[in-house]
Amino acid sequence: MVTSPYVLVLSLMLSVSLLLFLFSTIHPGKNLPLSLRDENDDLLLFRRASGAGSPSHAAATFTSTSSSRSFPAKFARLGARNSRPKIAFLFLTNSDLSFSPLWEKFFSGHSRYYNIYIHADPSSKFAPPDGVFRNRLFPSKKTERASPTLIAAARRLLAEAIIDDPANFYFALVSQHCVPLHSFRYMYDALFGDSISAIKAYINPEKYKSYIEILADEPNLFERYTARGEQVMLPEVRFEQFRVGSQFFVLTKRHALLVIEDTKLWKKFRLPCLNKECCYPEEHYFPTLLSMSDPKGCSHYTLTRVNWTGSFDGHPHLYQPEEISQELVHELRQSESNYSYFFARKFTPDCLEPLMKIADTVIFKD
């Protein structure tokens, strides 16, 4: 008796459904892969962003002002005073932006040099803040710690920022628990230099590095590499290529495009983990991808300070109001790299009041 091909297909579909059901029972919640609908939505978004950031599109939006210079037409029409590149601040959150008043002070007076984008978990009780954050909330999907959903959310923010404004040159990912340690002017000048240097960023963007932590010799790295299975990451990512680092970064536009156009590594990092205890894809995807693609174009260190002293369950030290002081700010700024730290995390929401008290005299004094 010959079995109908339709029966075979139906049997296969039922088998796959049963396996998925059993897998979800054993590995609930955070270890499930993204839904097909979310993946398709993201793919369309990334294609739009890739087109908006491509060299051919950039050439179409640039207007020649001399035989040796070209600037975005958007800025050429507005005048030279607006021709500087911008920093896109990407807020990734699953709760209210408790420190929005502090960020308001940080951004005050610099509207021509930055943009804000917010990805807030739609399942959380998020109250969109006013002021500079008004109407900066973009279509978001559910996120969970230690899952590929955090990678997907960061990629969405990068894509939205690329599409929104061609002048976005740097992309700074921060969380609701992050606070600035310097004034906006200090950060902008540290990244771009003076007015002439900032404009030259359009002409020679390869000179500018991305600031992302990339570490190769960390404890438990092999366990994290094999969290999905011993051979699963092969052949795309060998263990010798696997990296770890902070999920908070400051990327250049060329690296932001590289991230959203990637499919090779994403198809590996989006897979669910078998070993949940060692599964932190958001700490590995970005450092591994950029280390494999353009290691010399990255600083290999982050600009966001985190205190891992006394960490618990994978969470860093959580600063309390009584710890906030001028001395703490100066301590958090100190770095062994070429730059002072620009941001720090994590702070409890009630740290806002003591931070605001020293904002003008300490944090933003430079």
Side-chain angles (χ1 to χ4, degrees), residues 1-8:
M1 177 178 178
V2 180
T3 305
S4 166
Y6 298 105
V7 174
L8 289 173

Side-chain angles (χ1 to χ4, degrees), residues 3-4 20 40 64 70 76 115 117 127 155 165 212 269 281 283 317 325 327 329 343 349-350:
T3 305
S4 166
L20 288 173
N40 288 336
S64 295
S70 59
N115 284 304
Y117 307 88
R155 296 176 87 202
D165 193 337
I212 177 170
F269 281 94
E283 295 180 2
H317 177 75
S325 67
E327 291 71 27
V329 172
F343 315 109
D350 48 356

Side-chain angles (χ1 to χ4, degrees), residues 93-97 118 120-121 124-129 137:
T93 181
N94 60 3
S95 65
D96 290 344
L97 298 182
I118 305 170
D121 188 327
S124 64
K125 295 181 179 179
F126 178 77
L137 181 64

Side-chain angles (χ1 to χ4, degrees), residues 59-78:
T61 59
F62 274 54
T63 297
S64 295
T65 57
S66 71
S67 59
S68 61
R69 288 188 180 180
S70 59
F71 301 106
K74 175 178 180 180
F75 299 126
R77 290 195 299 269
L78 294 175

